[in-house]
Amino acid sequence: MNRHDWIDELCDALDVEVDLDEALILDVARDAAHNVARPAAPITTFLLGYAAASSNGDPDEIERLAAAAQDLALRWDKPADVLEHEDDDPEVEEELASVDA
């Protein structure tokens, strides 16, 4: 099963019909994950979906909303103590080393 099959099955399971701009959603998720934090990606896309539903799914409005989310993510000032990847966390590395031992 590929991503397109997943999307079709998920739409059926959620009982929604939508013209999905996959690339746009993935771009928004990427920018949120890379510029804010990984957990920001699903939260951002959920909120984008919520906003899209509030605008009755108007494609032009969805593009505007997505651009606003991306712009915010790209301007986000990540604190210096935020790790780029959780794998870079020394505590996580210690835990993984103890599991491997």
Side-chain angles (χ1 to χ4, degrees):
M1 186 178 281
N2 63 36
R3 185 176 63 229
H4 300 292
D5 293 335
W6 164 252
I7 291 168
D8 290 342
E9 292 288 329
L10 183 58
C11 285
D12 288 346
L14 298 176
D15 195 27
V16 295
E17 285 188 36
V18 62
D19 289 326
L20 179 65
D21 186 343
E22 266 181 75
L24 180 65
I25 300 303
L26 292 173
D27 287 346
V28 170
R30 179 201 62 228
D31 290 342
H34 290 184
N35 295 293
V36 182
R38 280 189 198 174
I43 294 166
T44 301
T45 55
F46 172 83
L47 290 173
L48 176 58
Y50 191 87
S54 296
S55 71
N56 295 317
D58 176 51
D60 291 333
E61 183 64 5
I62 292 170
E63 283 188 33
R64 187 193 71 73
L65 294 165
Q70 283 182 287
D71 182 55
L72 179 61
L74 294 173
R75 290 183 293 110
W76 195 255
D77 187 20
K78 196 186 302 188
D81 64 340
V82 172
L83 300 170
E84 191 65 30
H85 299 285
E86 68 183 35
D87 298 344
D88 298 335
D89 187 336
E91 290 178 15
V92 171
E93 289 179 22
E94 283 179 30
E95 287 178 32
L96 292 174
S98 69
V99 170
D100 291 337

